Coordinates of all heavy atoms in Angstrom, one line a residue:
M156 N 0.8 -1.2 0.0 CA 0.0 0.0 0.0 C 0.9 1.2 0.0 O 2.0 1.2 0.6 CB -0.9 0.0 1.2 CG -2.0 -1.0 1.3 SD -3.2 -0.8 2.6 CE -2.3 -0.6 4.0
R157 N 0.4 2.3 -0.6 CA 1.1 3.5 -0.7 C 0.2 4.6 -0.1 O -1.0 4.6 -0.3 CB 1.4 3.9 -2.2 CG 2.1 2.8 -3.0 CD 3.5 2.6 -2.8 NE 4.3 3.8 -3.3 CZ 5.6 4.0 -3.0 NH1 6.2 3.1 -2.3 NH2 6.2 5.0 -3.4
I158 N 0.9 5.6 0.6 CA 0.2 6.7 1.2 C 0.9 8.0 0.7 O 2.1 8.1 0.7 CB 0.3 6.6 2.8 CG1 -0.4 5.4 3.3 CG2 -0.4 7.9 3.4 CD1 -0.3 5.2 4.8
A159 N 0.0 8.9 0.2 CA 0.6 10.1 -0.3 C 0.7 11.2 0.8 O -0.3 11.9 1.1 CB -0.4 10.6 -1.4
C160 N 1.8 11.3 1.4 CA 2.1 12.3 2.5 C 2.1 13.7 1.8 O 2.7 13.9 0.8 CB 3.4 12.0 3.1 SG 3.9 13.3 4.3
P161 N 1.4 14.6 2.4 CA 1.3 16.0 1.8 C 2.7 16.7 1.7 O 2.9 17.5 0.9 CB 0.4 16.8 2.7 CG -0.4 15.8 3.4 CD 0.5 14.5 3.5
L162 N 3.6 16.3 2.6 CA 4.9 16.9 2.7 C 6.0 16.1 1.9 O 6.9 16.7 1.3 CB 5.4 17.1 4.1 CG 4.4 18.0 4.9 CD1 4.9 18.1 6.4 CD2 4.3 19.4 4.3
C163 N 5.9 14.8 2.0 CA 7.0 13.9 1.4 C 6.6 13.3 0.1 O 7.5 12.7 -0.6 CB 7.3 12.8 2.4 SG 7.8 13.4 4.0
G164 N 5.3 13.3 -0.3 CA 4.9 12.6 -1.5 C 4.5 11.2 -1.2 O 4.4 10.8 -0.1
E165 N 4.3 10.4 -2.3 CA 3.8 9.0 -2.1 C 4.9 8.2 -1.5 O 6.1 8.2 -2.0 CB 3.4 8.5 -3.5 CG 2.7 7.2 -3.4 CD 2.1 6.8 -4.7 OE1 1.3 7.5 -5.2 OE2 2.4 5.6 -5.1
R166 N 4.6 7.5 -0.4 CA 5.5 6.6 0.3 C 4.9 5.3 0.6 O 3.7 5.1 0.6 CB 5.9 7.3 1.6 CG 6.3 8.8 1.5 CD 7.5 9.0 0.7 NE 8.7 8.6 1.6 CZ 9.9 9.0 1.4 NH1 10.2 9.8 0.4 NH2 10.8 8.7 2.2
D167 N 5.8 4.3 0.9 CA 5.3 3.0 1.3 C 4.6 3.1 2.7 O 5.1 3.8 3.6 CB 6.5 2.0 1.4 CG 6.1 0.6 1.6 OD1 5.7 0.3 2.7 OD2 6.1 -0.1 0.6
S168 N 3.5 2.3 2.8 CA 2.8 2.4 4.1 C 3.6 2.0 5.3 O 3.2 2.3 6.4 CB 1.5 1.6 4.0 OG 1.8 0.3 3.8
R169 N 4.6 1.2 5.1 CA 5.4 0.8 6.3 C 6.1 1.9 7.0 O 6.6 1.8 8.1 CB 6.5 -0.3 5.8 CG 5.8 -1.6 5.4 CD 6.8 -2.6 4.9 NE 7.2 -2.1 3.6 CZ 8.0 -2.8 2.7 NH1 8.4 -4.0 3.1 NH2 8.3 -2.3 1.6
E170 N 6.2 3.1 6.3 CA 6.8 4.3 7.0 C 5.8 4.9 8.0 O 6.2 5.8 8.7 CB 7.1 5.4 5.9 CG 8.3 5.0 5.0 CD 8.7 6.1 4.1 OE1 8.3 7.3 4.3 OE2 9.5 5.9 3.2
F171 N 4.5 4.5 8.0 CA 3.5 5.2 8.8 C 3.0 4.2 9.8 O 3.1 3.0 9.7 CB 2.3 5.5 7.9 CG 2.7 6.5 6.7 CD1 3.2 6.0 5.6 CD2 2.5 7.8 6.9 CE1 3.6 6.8 4.5 CE2 2.8 8.7 5.8 CZ 3.3 8.2 4.6
S172 N 2.4 4.8 10.8 CA 1.6 3.9 11.8 C 0.2 4.4 12.0 O 0.0 5.7 12.1 CB 2.4 3.9 13.1 OG 2.5 5.1 13.7
Y173 N -0.7 3.5 12.0 CA -2.1 3.8 12.2 C -2.3 4.2 13.6 O -1.9 3.6 14.6 CB -2.9 2.6 11.8 CG -4.4 2.7 12.2 CD1 -5.2 3.5 11.4 CD2 -4.9 2.1 13.3 CE1 -6.6 3.6 11.7 CE2 -6.3 2.2 13.6 CZ -7.1 3.0 12.8 OH -8.4 3.1 13.1
R174 N -3.1 5.3 13.9 CA -3.3 5.8 15.2 C -4.8 5.9 15.6 O -5.1 6.5 16.6 CB -2.6 7.1 15.4 CG -1.1 7.1 15.3 CD -0.5 6.1 16.3 NE 0.9 5.9 16.1 CZ 1.9 6.4 16.9 NH1 1.5 7.1 17.9 NH2 3.1 6.2 16.7
G175 N -5.6 5.4 14.8 CA -7.1 5.4 15.2 C -7.9 6.2 14.2 O -7.4 6.8 13.3
H176 N -9.2 6.3 14.6 CA -10.1 7.0 13.8 C -9.9 8.5 14.0 O -9.5 9.0 15.0 CB -11.6 6.6 14.2 CG -12.6 7.1 13.2 ND1 -13.1 8.4 13.2 CD2 -13.2 6.4 12.2 CE1 -14.0 8.5 12.2 NE2 -14.1 7.3 11.6
A177 N -10.1 9.3 12.9 CA -9.9 10.7 13.0 C -10.9 11.4 13.9 O -10.8 12.6 14.1 CB -9.9 11.3 11.6
L178 N -11.9 10.7 14.4 CA -12.8 11.3 15.4 C -12.1 11.9 16.5 O -12.6 12.8 17.2 CB -13.8 10.1 15.8 CG -14.8 10.5 16.9 CD1 -15.8 11.5 16.4 CD2 -15.5 9.2 17.4
A179 N -10.9 11.4 16.8 CA -10.1 11.9 17.9 C -9.9 13.4 17.8 O -9.6 14.1 18.8 CB -8.8 11.2 18.0
L180 N -9.9 14.0 16.6 CA -9.8 15.4 16.4 C -10.9 16.2 16.9 O -10.8 17.4 17.1 CB -9.5 15.7 14.9 CG -8.3 15.1 14.3 CD1 -8.3 15.5 12.8 CD2 -7.0 15.7 15.0
A181 N -12.1 15.6 17.1 CA -13.3 16.2 17.6 C -13.5 15.9 19.1 O -14.6 15.7 19.6 CB -14.5 15.8 16.8
R182 N -12.4 15.9 19.9 CA -12.5 15.5 21.3 C -13.3 16.6 22.0 O -13.1 17.8 21.8 CB -11.1 15.5 21.8 CG -11.0 15.2 23.3 CD -9.5 15.3 23.7 NE -9.5 15.1 25.2 CZ -8.6 14.3 25.8 NH1 -7.7 13.7 25.1 NH2 -8.6 14.2 27.1
P183 N -14.2 16.1 22.9 CA -15.0 17.1 23.7 C -14.1 17.9 24.7 O -13.0 17.5 25.0 CB -16.0 16.2 24.5 CG -15.9 14.9 23.9 CD -14.6 14.8 23.2
E184 N -14.7 19.1 25.1 CA -14.0 19.9 26.0 C -13.9 19.2 27.4 O -14.7 18.3 27.6 CB -14.7 21.3 26.2 CG -14.7 22.1 24.9 CD -13.3 22.6 24.6 OE1 -12.5 22.9 25.5 OE2 -13.0 22.6 23.3
E185 N -13.0 19.5 28.2 CA -12.8 18.9 29.5 C -14.1 18.9 30.4 O -14.4 18.0 31.1 CB -11.7 19.5 30.3 CG -10.3 19.1 29.7 CD -9.2 19.6 30.6 OE1 -9.3 19.8 31.8 OE2 -8.1 19.9 30.0
D186 N -14.9 20.0 30.3 CA -16.1 20.2 31.1 C -17.3 19.7 30.4 O -18.4 20.0 30.8 CB -16.2 21.6 31.5 CG -16.3 22.6 30.4 OD1 -16.0 22.2 29.2 OD2 -16.6 23.8 30.6
A187 N -17.2 19.0 29.3 CA -18.3 18.5 28.5 C -19.1 17.5 29.4 O -18.6 16.9 30.4 CB -17.9 17.8 27.2
S188 N -20.3 17.2 29.0 CA -21.2 16.4 29.7 C -20.8 14.9 29.7 O -20.0 14.5 28.8 CB -22.7 16.4 29.2 OG -22.7 15.8 27.9
F189 N -21.3 14.1 30.6 CA -21.0 12.7 30.6 C -21.4 12.0 29.3 O -20.7 11.2 28.8 CB -21.7 12.0 31.8 CG -21.6 10.5 31.8 CD1 -20.5 9.9 32.3 CD2 -22.6 9.7 31.3 CE1 -20.3 8.5 32.3 CE2 -22.5 8.3 31.2 CZ -21.3 7.8 31.7
E190 N -22.5 12.4 28.8 CA -23.1 11.9 27.6 C -22.1 12.1 26.4 O -21.9 11.3 25.5 CB -24.5 12.4 27.2 CG -25.5 11.8 28.2 CD -25.6 12.6 29.5 OE1 -25.0 13.7 29.7 OE2 -26.2 12.0 30.5
A191 N -21.6 13.4 26.3 CA -20.7 13.7 25.3 C -19.4 12.9 25.3 O -18.9 12.4 24.3 CB -20.3 15.2 25.3
W192 N -18.9 12.7 26.5 CA -17.7 11.9 26.7 C -18.0 10.4 26.4 O -17.2 9.7 25.8 CB -17.1 12.0 28.1 CG -16.2 13.2 28.1 CD1 -16.5 14.4 28.7 CD2 -14.9 13.3 27.6 NE1 -15.4 15.3 28.5 CE2 -14.4 14.7 27.9 CE3 -14.0 12.5 26.9 CZ2 -13.2 15.1 27.5 CZ3 -12.8 12.9 26.6 CH2 -12.4 14.2 26.8
D193 N -19.1 9.9 26.8 CA -19.5 8.5 26.6 C -19.6 8.3 25.1 O -19.1 7.3 24.6 CB -20.9 8.2 27.3 CG -21.2 6.8 27.2 OD1 -20.4 5.9 27.4 OD2 -22.4 6.5 26.8
D194 N -20.2 9.2 24.4 CA -20.3 9.1 22.9 C -19.0 9.1 22.3 O -18.7 8.2 21.4 CB -21.1 10.2 22.3 CG -22.6 10.1 22.6 OD1 -23.1 9.0 23.0 OD2 -23.3 11.1 22.4
Y195 N -18.1 10.0 22.7 CA -16.7 10.1 22.1 C -15.9 8.8 22.4 O -15.2 8.3 21.5 CB -16.0 11.3 22.7 CG -14.6 11.4 22.3 CD1 -14.2 11.9 21.1 CD2 -13.6 11.2 23.3 CE1 -12.9 12.0 20.7 CE2 -12.3 11.3 22.9 CZ -11.9 11.7 21.6 OH -10.6 11.8 21.3
L196 N -16.0 8.3 23.6 CA -15.2 7.1 24.0 C -15.7 5.8 23.5 O -14.9 4.9 23.2 CB -14.9 7.1 25.5 CG -14.1 8.3 26.0 CD1 -14.2 8.3 27.5 CD2 -12.7 8.2 25.5
H197 N -17.0 5.6 23.5 CA -17.6 4.3 23.3 C -18.5 4.0 22.1 O -18.6 2.9 21.7 CB -18.4 3.9 24.6 CG -17.5 4.0 25.8 ND1 -16.5 3.1 26.1 CD2 -17.6 4.9 26.9 CE1 -16.0 3.5 27.3 NE2 -16.6 4.5 27.8
K198 N -19.0 5.1 21.6 CA -20.0 4.9 20.5 C -19.4 5.3 19.2 O -19.5 6.4 18.7 CB -21.3 5.7 20.8 CG -21.9 5.2 22.1 CD -23.2 6.0 22.4 CE -23.8 5.6 23.7 NZ -24.9 6.4 24.1
R199 N -18.8 4.3 18.5 CA -18.1 4.5 17.3 C -18.8 3.7 16.1 O -19.4 2.7 16.4 CB -16.7 4.0 17.3 CG -15.8 4.6 18.4 CD -15.3 6.0 18.0 NE -14.7 6.6 19.1 CZ -13.4 6.7 19.3 NH1 -12.6 6.1 18.5 NH2 -12.9 7.4 20.3
E200 N -18.8 4.3 15.0 CA -19.3 3.6 13.8 C -18.3 2.7 13.3 O -17.1 3.0 13.3 CB -19.6 4.7 12.7 CG -20.6 5.7 13.2 CD -22.0 5.6 12.5 OE1 -22.0 4.8 11.5 OE2 -22.9 6.2 12.9
N201 N -18.7 1.5 12.8 CA -17.8 0.6 12.2 C -18.1 0.6 10.7 O -18.8 -0.3 10.2 CB -17.9 -0.8 12.8 CG -16.8 -1.7 12.4 OD1 -15.9 -1.4 11.7 ND2 -17.0 -3.0 12.7
V202 N -17.5 1.5 10.0 CA -17.9 1.7 8.6 C -17.3 0.7 7.7 O -16.1 0.4 7.8 CB -17.4 3.2 8.2 CG1 -17.7 3.4 6.7 CG2 -18.0 4.2 9.1
A203 N -18.1 0.2 6.8 CA -17.6 -0.7 5.7 C -17.6 0.2 4.5 O -18.6 0.4 3.8 CB -18.5 -1.9 5.5
G204 N -16.5 0.8 4.2 CA -16.4 1.8 3.1 C -15.4 2.9 3.5 O -14.4 2.6 4.3
V205 N -15.5 4.1 3.0 CA -14.6 5.1 3.2 C -14.7 5.7 4.6 O -15.8 6.1 5.1 CB -14.8 6.2 2.1 CG1 -13.8 7.4 2.4 CG2 -14.6 5.7 0.7
T206 N -13.6 5.8 5.3 CA -13.5 6.4 6.6 C -12.3 7.3 6.7 O -11.5 7.3 5.8 CB -13.5 5.3 7.7 OG1 -13.6 5.9 9.0 CG2 -12.2 4.5 7.6
Q207 N -12.3 8.1 7.8 CA -11.1 9.0 8.0 C -10.3 8.5 9.2 O -10.9 8.2 10.2 CB -11.6 10.4 8.3 CG -12.5 11.0 7.1 CD -12.0 12.3 6.7 OE1 -11.2 13.0 7.3 NE2 -12.6 12.8 5.6
E208 N -9.0 8.4 9.0 CA -8.2 7.8 10.0 C -7.0 8.7 10.3 O -6.5 9.4 9.4 CB -7.6 6.4 9.5 CG -8.7 5.4 9.2 CD -8.2 4.2 8.5 OE1 -7.1 4.2 7.9 OE2 -8.8 3.1 8.7
L209 N -6.5 8.6 11.5 CA -5.2 9.3 11.9 C -4.0 8.3 11.6 O -4.1 7.2 12.0 CB -5.2 9.6 13.4 CG -6.0 10.8 13.8 CD1 -6.1 10.9 15.3 CD2 -5.4 12.1 13.2
W210 N -3.0 8.9 11.0 CA -1.8 8.2 10.7 C -0.6 9.1 11.1 O -0.7 10.3 11.0 CB -1.7 7.8 9.2 CG -2.6 6.7 8.8 CD1 -3.9 6.8 8.5 CD2 -2.3 5.4 8.6 NE1 -4.5 5.6 8.2 CE2 -3.5 4.7 8.2 CE3 -1.1 4.6 8.6 CZ2 -3.5 3.4 7.9 CZ3 -1.2 3.3 8.3 CH2 -2.3 2.7 8.0
F211 N 0.5 8.5 11.6 CA 1.7 9.2 11.9 C 2.8 8.8 11.0 O 3.0 7.6 10.8 CB 2.0 8.9 13.4 CG 3.2 9.8 13.8 CD1 3.1 11.1 14.0 CD2 4.4 9.2 14.1 CE1 4.2 11.9 14.4 CE2 5.5 9.9 14.5 CZ 5.4 11.3 14.7
H212 N 3.5 9.7 10.4 CA 4.6 9.4 9.5 C 5.9 9.2 10.3 O 6.7 10.1 10.4 CB 4.7 10.5 8.5 CG 5.5 10.1 7.3 ND1 5.7 10.9 6.2 CD2 6.2 9.0 7.0 CE1 6.4 10.3 5.3 NE2 6.7 9.1 5.7
D213 N 6.0 8.0 10.9 CA 7.1 7.7 11.8 C 8.5 7.8 11.1 O 9.4 8.4 11.6 CB 7.0 6.2 12.2 CG 5.8 6.0 13.1 OD1 5.7 6.6 14.2 OD2 4.9 5.2 12.7
F214 N 8.6 7.2 9.9 CA 9.9 7.1 9.3 C 10.0 8.1 8.1 O 10.5 7.7 7.0 CB 10.2 5.7 8.8 CG 10.2 4.7 10.0 CD1 9.2 3.9 10.2 CD2 11.3 4.7 10.9 CE1 9.2 3.0 11.3 CE2 11.3 3.9 11.9 CZ 10.2 3.0 12.2
G215 N 9.5 9.3 8.3 CA 9.5 10.4 7.3 C 9.6 11.7 8.0 O 10.4 11.9 8.9
C216 N 8.6 12.5 7.7 CA 8.6 13.9 8.2 C 8.1 14.0 9.7 O 8.2 15.1 10.2 CB 7.8 14.8 7.3 SG 6.1 14.3 7.1
G217 N 7.5 13.0 10.2 CA 7.0 13.1 11.6 C 5.6 13.8 11.7 O 5.3 14.2 12.8
S218 N 4.9 13.9 10.6 CA 3.6 14.6 10.6 C 2.5 13.7 11.0 O 2.5 12.5 10.7 CB 3.3 15.1 9.2 OG 4.2 16.1 8.8
W219 N 1.5 14.3 11.6 CA 0.2 13.6 11.9 C -0.7 13.9 10.6 O -0.8 15.0 10.2 CB -0.5 14.2 13.1 CG 0.1 13.7 14.4 CD1 1.1 14.2 15.1 CD2 -0.3 12.5 15.1 NE1 1.4 13.5 16.2 CE2 0.6 12.4 16.2 CE3 -1.2 11.5 14.8 CZ2 0.5 11.4 17.1 CZ3 -1.3 10.5 15.7 CH2 -0.5 10.4 16.9
L220 N -1.3 12.8 10.1 CA -2.1 12.9 8.9 C -3.5 12.4 9.1 O -3.7 11.5 10.0 CB -1.4 12.1 7.8 CG 0.0 12.4 7.5 CD1 0.6 11.3 6.6 CD2 0.2 13.8 7.0
V221 N -4.4 12.9 8.4 CA -5.8 12.4 8.3 C -5.9 11.8 6.9 O -5.8 12.6 5.9 CB -6.9 13.5 8.6 CG1 -8.3 12.9 8.3 CG2 -6.8 14.0 10.0
A222 N -6.1 10.5 6.8 CA -6.2 9.8 5.5 C -7.6 9.2 5.3 O -8.1 8.6 6.3 CB -5.2 8.7 5.4
E223 N -8.1 9.4 4.1 CA -9.4 8.7 3.8 C -8.9 7.3 3.3 O -8.0 7.2 2.5 CB -10.1 9.4 2.6 CG -10.7 10.7 3.0 CD -11.5 11.3 1.8 OE1 -11.4 10.7 0.7 OE2 -12.1 12.3 2.0
R224 N -9.6 6.3 3.9 CA -9.2 4.9 3.5 C -10.5 4.1 3.4 O -11.4 4.2 4.2 CB -8.3 4.2 4.5 CG -7.8 2.9 4.1 CD -6.8 2.3 5.0 NE -7.5 1.9 6.3 CZ -8.1 0.8 6.6 NH1 -8.1 -0.2 5.7 NH2 -8.6 0.6 7.8
N225 N -10.6 3.3 2.3 CA -11.7 2.4 2.2 C -11.4 1.1 3.0 O -10.4 0.4 2.7 CB -11.9 2.1 0.7 CG -13.2 1.3 0.4 OD1 -13.5 0.3 1.1 ND2 -13.9 1.7 -0.6
T226 N -12.2 0.9 4.0 CA -12.0 -0.3 4.8 C -12.3 -1.6 4.1 O -11.9 -2.7 4.7 CB -12.8 -0.2 6.1 OG1 -14.2 -0.2 5.8 CG2 -12.4 1.0 6.9
V227 N -12.9 -1.6 3.0 CA -13.2 -2.8 2.3 C -12.0 -3.1 1.3 O -11.5 -4.3 1.3 CB -14.5 -2.7 1.5 CG1 -14.7 -4.0 0.6 CG2 -15.7 -2.5 2.4
T228 N -11.6 -2.1 0.6 CA -10.5 -2.4 -0.4 C -9.1 -2.0 0.1 O -8.1 -2.3 -0.6 CB -10.8 -1.6 -1.7 OG1 -10.7 -0.1 -1.4 CG2 -12.1 -1.9 -2.3
H229 N -9.0 -1.2 1.2 CA -7.8 -0.7 1.8 C -7.1 0.3 0.9 O -5.9 0.7 1.1 CB -6.8 -1.8 2.1 CG -7.4 -2.8 3.1 ND1 -7.7 -2.4 4.4 CD2 -7.8 -4.1 3.0 CE1 -8.2 -3.4 5.1 NE2 -8.3 -4.4 4.2
E230 N -7.8 0.9 -0.1 CA -7.3 1.9 -0.9 C -7.4 3.3 -0.2 O -8.3 3.6 0.5 CB -8.1 2.0 -2.2 CG -7.9 0.9 -3.1 CD -8.7 1.0 -4.4 OE1 -8.4 1.9 -5.2 OE2 -9.6 0.2 -4.6
F231 N -6.3 4.1 -0.3 CA -6.2 5.4 0.3 C -6.7 6.4 -0.7 O -6.5 6.4 -1.9 CB -4.8 5.7 0.7 CG -4.4 5.1 2.0 CD1 -3.9 3.8 1.9 CD2 -4.6 5.7 3.2 CE1 -3.5 3.2 3.1 CE2 -4.2 5.1 4.3 CZ -3.7 3.8 4.3
G232 N -7.4 7.4 -0.2 CA -7.9 8.6 -1.0 C -7.1 9.8 -0.6 O -5.9 9.7 -0.4
A233 N -7.8 10.9 -0.3 CA -7.1 12.1 0.1 C -6.4 12.0 1.4 O -6.9 11.3 2.3 CB -8.2 13.2 0.2
V234 N -5.2 12.6 1.5 CA -4.5 12.6 2.7 C -4.1 14.1 3.0 O -3.6 14.8 2.2 CB -3.2 11.8 2.6 CG1 -2.4 11.8 3.9 CG2 -3.5 10.4 2.2
K235 N -4.5 14.5 4.3 CA -4.2 15.9 4.7 C -3.5 16.0 6.0 O -3.5 15.0 6.7 CB -5.6 16.6 4.8 CG -6.4 16.7 3.6 CD -7.8 17.3 3.8 CE -8.6 17.2 2.6 NZ -10.0 17.6 2.8
L236 N -2.8 17.1 6.2 CA -2.2 17.3 7.5 C -3.3 17.4 8.6 O -4.3 18.1 8.4 CB -1.4 18.5 7.5 CG -0.1 18.5 6.6 CD1 0.5 19.9 6.6 CD2 0.9 17.5 7.1
A237 N -3.1 16.7 9.7 CA -4.1 16.7 10.8 C -4.4 18.1 11.3 O -5.5 18.5 11.7 CB -3.7 15.7 11.9
Q238 N -3.3 18.9 11.4 CA -3.4 20.3 11.9 C -4.4 21.1 11.0 O -5.2 21.8 11.5 CB -2.1 20.9 11.9 CG -2.1 22.4 12.4 CD -0.7 23.0 12.4 OE1 0.3 22.3 12.1 NE2 -0.7 24.2 12.7
D239 N -4.3 20.9 9.7 CA -5.2 21.6 8.8 C -6.7 21.1 9.0 O -7.6 21.9 8.9 CB -4.8 21.4 7.3 CG -3.5 22.0 7.0 OD1 -3.0 22.9 7.8 OD2 -2.9 21.7 6.0
V240 N -6.9 19.9 9.2 CA -8.2 19.3 9.4 C -8.8 19.8 10.7 O -10.0 20.2 10.7 CB -8.2 17.8 9.3 CG1 -9.6 17.2 9.7 CG2 -7.7 17.3 8.0
K241 N -8.0 19.8 11.7 CA -8.5 20.3 13.0 C -8.8 21.8 13.0 O -9.9 22.2 13.5 CB -7.4 20.1 14.1 CG -7.9 20.4 15.5 CD -7.0 19.8 16.6 CE -7.5 20.2 17.9 NZ -8.7 19.6 18.4
E242 N -8.0 22.6 12.3 CA -8.4 24.0 12.2 C -9.7 24.2 11.4 O -10.4 25.1 11.7 CB -7.2 24.7 11.5 CG -6.0 24.9 12.4 CD -4.8 25.5 11.6 OE1 -4.9 25.8 10.4 OE2 -3.7 25.6 12.3
A243 N -9.9 23.4 10.4 CA -11.2 23.5 9.6 C -12.4 23.1 10.5 O -13.5 23.6 10.2 CB -11.1 22.6 8.4
L244 N -12.2 22.2 11.5 CA -13.3 21.8 12.3 C -13.7 22.9 13.3 O -14.8 22.9 13.9 CB -12.9 20.5 13.1 CG -12.8 19.3 12.3 CD1 -12.3 18.1 13.2 CD2 -14.1 18.9 11.7
A245 N -12.7 23.8 13.6 CA -12.9 24.8 14.7 C -13.9 25.9 14.2 O -14.3 26.1 13.2 CB -11.6 25.4 15.1

């Protein structure tokens, strides 16, 4: 598999490590309700298709990335810097 790092270009997936669903970028505030934290921690969708995931470029530029990946075919789509995605959510 190949992942297109926005800073380094297309690289072998062995340079990266999977760090979970990109939902982590939408973490509730510390004083959020119990329900908000319960939803964030325990109620996840198990998508069969395109999802957004966090990846870390361990053996490259050291960037956190948000990658679209099809969980059925394992094909990668758009890959963006996690910082840019988080700023867009704000």
Side-chain angles (χ1 to χ4, degrees):
M156 288 190 312
R157 311 278 297 167
I158 299 175
C160 175
L162 301 177
C163 302
E165 191 171 303
R166 312 293 283 204
D167 190 282
S168 63
R169 292 176 288 188
E170 291 187 12
F171 302 83
S172 59
Y173 172 75
R174 297 300 174 107
H176 195 277
L178 175 68
L180 296 176
R182 180 183 174 136
E184 295 295 323
E185 288 183 31
D186 60 349
S188 69
F189 173 81
E190 290 79 16
W192 277 102
D193 186 47
D194 286 347
Y195 174 74
L196 292 171
H197 304 291
K198 297 179 181 175
R199 304 281 174 98
E200 301 251 348
N201 189 8
V202 178
V205 177
T206 188
Q207 302 232 349
E208 303 172 333
L209 280 173
W210 288 77
F211 184 70
H212 198 173
D213 296 296
F214 301 105
C216 61
S218 293
W219 283 91
L220 307 170
V221 175
E223 288 182 356
R224 184 176 70 87
N225 187 315
T226 60
V227 177
T228 65
H229 300 292
E230 292 180 62
F231 282 88
V234 180
K235 300 175 185 171
L236 293 173
Q238 179 179 356
D239 295 345
V240 174
K241 186 162 177 74
E242 289 172 0
L244 293 173

